[in-house]
């Protein structure tokens, strides 16, 4: 257990904010698998201030998600502060997170996301302005640097702390790396040693054993899991359990995966509508079935279904076929 500001985080496993993924349906499903903290996908400050309908829907929080964090991004102080105030006053979020790590070009062009990594004074200015105008704890999620020649992680973290940030989540890759290559845990360790606020380590935590390794090698207060949890909320549960007991729980079987997939889908339908939810579930279903023998054909068929019942029927048929093949091989 650790604290971010006045918010108690019950364990050391945090779900990363992932664009296009971390909506309330996904977060709640992962939360039920034991995540200490779940983080929402990033929201544009300007879209929020313009009351964009799609953006306002992204503010939806389920009552069983807490503690949870809502992430905003922007490049201009005035609009970022106004967006933070809106989240502070109009949502049930426990924490406001500022994105200063997103590497994609359209965010960089807005002078937001990872662009801040090149400008430590701007980090101080922007974070302080937000902290001074909201009641909820403010955190930042950042990368170690822009590229190998511009790694200002320690200085940037110190600026965030000085500005009043309550915690830092640090992805061990540069902006140029995107999601390729290895995460640099050594820089994460240096940041943890340089600041007094909680640091959450992110990058290459793909097994419970690697989560423990990161905690030991870097000294971070918690690990943040992103892509390893896609279609695999068991990764969260298995990691929490392993860190607390040293026991490694088995991976789920196909029926378990399908049951959670259906639960996730139903939550997504309730959140959006059936048509929208089914389009989004295509990628999730693919992730849930990753590693299951013979999944190639069914993944193609999933992309053709347009109703909940069709998808359920297809998944149950696939499960029966897998079991029949297993019986033949026994």
């Amino acid at each position: 257990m650790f604290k971010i500001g006045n918010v108690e985080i019950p364990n050391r496993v945090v779900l990363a904010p992932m664009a296009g993924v971390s909506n309330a349906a996904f977060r709640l499903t992962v939360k039920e698998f034991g995540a200490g903290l779940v983080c929402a996908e990033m929201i544009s400050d300007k879209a929020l201030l313009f009351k964009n309908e799609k953006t306002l829907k992204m503010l939806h929080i389920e009552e069983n998600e807490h503690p949870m964090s809502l992430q905003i991004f922007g490049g201009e102080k005035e609009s970022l502060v106004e967006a933070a105030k809106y989240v502070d006053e109009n949502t049930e979020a426990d924490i406001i997170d500022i994105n200063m790590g997103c590497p994609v070009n359209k965010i960089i062009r807005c002078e937001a996301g990872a662009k801040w990594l090149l400008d430590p004074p701007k980090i101080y200015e922007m974070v302080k302005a937000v902290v001074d105008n909201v009641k909820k704890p403010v955190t930042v999620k950042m990368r170690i640097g822009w590229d190998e020649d511009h790694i200002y992680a320690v200085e940037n973290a110190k600026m965030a702390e000085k500005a009043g940030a309550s915690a830092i989540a640090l992805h061990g890759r540069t902006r140029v790396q995107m999601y390729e290559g290895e995460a640099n845990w050594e820089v994460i360790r240096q940041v943890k040693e340089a600041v007094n606020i909680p640091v959450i380590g992110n990058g290459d935590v793909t097994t419970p054993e690697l989560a423990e390794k990161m905690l030991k090698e870097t000294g971070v207060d918690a690990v943040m899991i992103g892509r390893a949890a896609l279609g695999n909320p068991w990764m969260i549960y298995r990691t929490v359990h392993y860190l607390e007991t040293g026991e490694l729980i088995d991976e789920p079987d196909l029926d378990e995966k399908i049951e959670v997939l259906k639960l996730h889908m139903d939550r997504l339908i309730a959140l959006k509508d059936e048509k929208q939810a089914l389009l989004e579930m295509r990628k999730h279903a693919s992730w849930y079935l990753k590693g299951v023998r013979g999944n190639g054909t069914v993944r193609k068929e999933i992309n053709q279904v347009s109703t909940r019942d069709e998808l359920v029927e297809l998944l149950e048929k696939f499960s029966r076929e897998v079991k029949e093949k297993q019986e033949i091989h026994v």
Side-chain angles (χ1 to χ4, degrees):
M1 187 182 79
F2 67 105
K3 288 183 96 169
I4 295 177
N6 58 355
V7 179
E8 265 188 22
I9 313 299
N11 63 53
R12 304 174 80 185
V13 181
V14 177
L15 176 70
M18 290 177 281
V21 172
S22 300
N23 53 41
F26 178 73
R27 295 193 309 264
L28 181 58
T29 303
V30 174
K31 186 71 179 183
E32 289 174 346
F33 278 84
L37 174 69
V38 293
C39 305
E41 60 188 315
M42 63 181 183
I43 292 172
S44 158
D45 58 351
K46 293 219 166 53
L48 197 53
L49 298 180
F50 289 138
K51 302 289 192 292
N52 176 279
E53 188 182 345
K54 186 181 172 186
T55 302
L56 291 175
K57 284 180 179 175
M58 289 166 72
L59 297 176
H60 177 77
I61 298 167
E62 295 285 343
E63 61 180 274
N64 294 333
E65 284 188 60
H66 301 283
M68 71 81 60
S69 167
L70 266 178
Q71 187 183 77
I72 55 175
F73 75 89
E76 295 168 15
K77 182 163 65 175
E78 189 176 302
S79 55
L80 192 71
V81 166
E82 288 306 309
K85 283 164 70 174
Y86 187 90
V87 171
D88 194 46
E89 295 163 9
N90 297 283
T91 78
E92 294 298 313
D94 302 288
I95 295 163
I96 298 169
D97 187 58
I98 301 172
N99 181 300
M100 43 184 270
C102 181
V104 301
N105 285 328
K106 72 173 184 178
I107 306 299
I108 301 293
R109 281 196 294 270
C110 302
E111 297 293 315
K115 192 67 185 285
W116 292 23
L117 300 171
L118 292 164
D119 192 351
K122 178 174 181 171
I123 289 170
Y124 174 78
E125 181 188 355
M126 300 285 269
V127 175
K128 187 171 192 326
V130 172
V131 169
D132 288 349
N133 280 280
V134 299
K135 295 188 179 76
K136 299 181 195 289
V138 175
T139 60
V140 299
K141 182 164 194 294
M142 64 184 194
R143 287 175 173 247
I144 58 170
W146 182 263
D147 56 27
E148 286 300 315
D149 298 321
H150 300 86
I151 293 180
Y152 305 149
V154 170
E155 191 177 351
N156 289 340
K158 284 181 172 179
M159 284 294 183
E161 180 182 38
K162 185 181 174 187
S166 294
I168 292 162
L170 181 60
H171 185 161
R173 288 182 174 85
T174 64
R175 186 264 167 171
V176 167
Q177 275 182 281
M178 301 291 281
Y179 299 96
E180 303 299 320
E182 283 187 16
N184 188 330
W185 290 6
E186 172 57 22
V187 175
I188 295 176
R189 183 189 66 76
Q190 291 168 13
V191 167
K192 174 57 190 167
E193 289 179 356
V195 298
N196 296 307
I197 54 177
V199 175
I200 301 164
N202 179 214
D204 293 349
V205 178
T206 54
T207 66
E209 297 97 320
L210 284 170
E212 182 183 56
K213 189 169 189 271
M214 176 184 268
L215 288 167
K216 284 181 176 174
E217 288 187 6
T218 66
V220 290
D221 300 87
V223 293
M224 179 173 272
I225 296 171
R227 288 173 294 164
L230 296 175
N232 187 17
W234 296 269
M235 170 61 184
I236 302 292
Y237 175 70
R238 293 174 74 240
T239 301
V240 171
H241 187 81
Y242 182 74
L243 294 178
E244 290 176 353
T245 69
E247 179 192 13
L248 202 55
I249 296 171
D250 289 341
E251 298 271 10
D253 62 24
L254 179 57
D255 284 347
E256 279 182 81
K257 290 184 175 187
I258 288 173
E259 282 308 306
V260 174
L261 192 164
K262 289 193 287 190
L263 174 67
H264 185 170
M265 172 175 59
D266 288 339
R267 284 175 171 160
L268 209 47
I269 290 169
L271 189 64
K272 303 193 174 190
D273 59 50
E274 188 167 11
K275 185 181 177 185
Q276 225 16 67
L278 263 293
L279 284 172
E280 195 169 313
M281 277 311 294
R282 289 175 179 180
K283 63 185 178 187
H284 285 285
S286 176
W287 290 326
Y288 275 101
L289 299 179
K290 190 178 175 184
V292 178
R293 185 173 288 179
N295 71 5
T297 305
V298 75
R299 280 161 69 179
K300 285 176 189 162
E301 291 173 352
I302 284 166
N303 290 336
Q304 308 305 316
V305 300
S306 54
T307 70
R308 178 200 181 276
D309 291 346
E310 283 175 13
L311 182 53
V312 169
E313 189 180 330
L314 183 60
L315 292 169
E316 290 175 349
K317 176 173 169 275
F318 176 59
S319 177
R320 287 194 302 272
E321 287 170 355
V322 169
K323 283 176 187 165
E324 284 167 9
K325 284 175 186 171
Q326 286 172 343
E327 286 170 7
I328 290 167
H329 288 296
V330 170

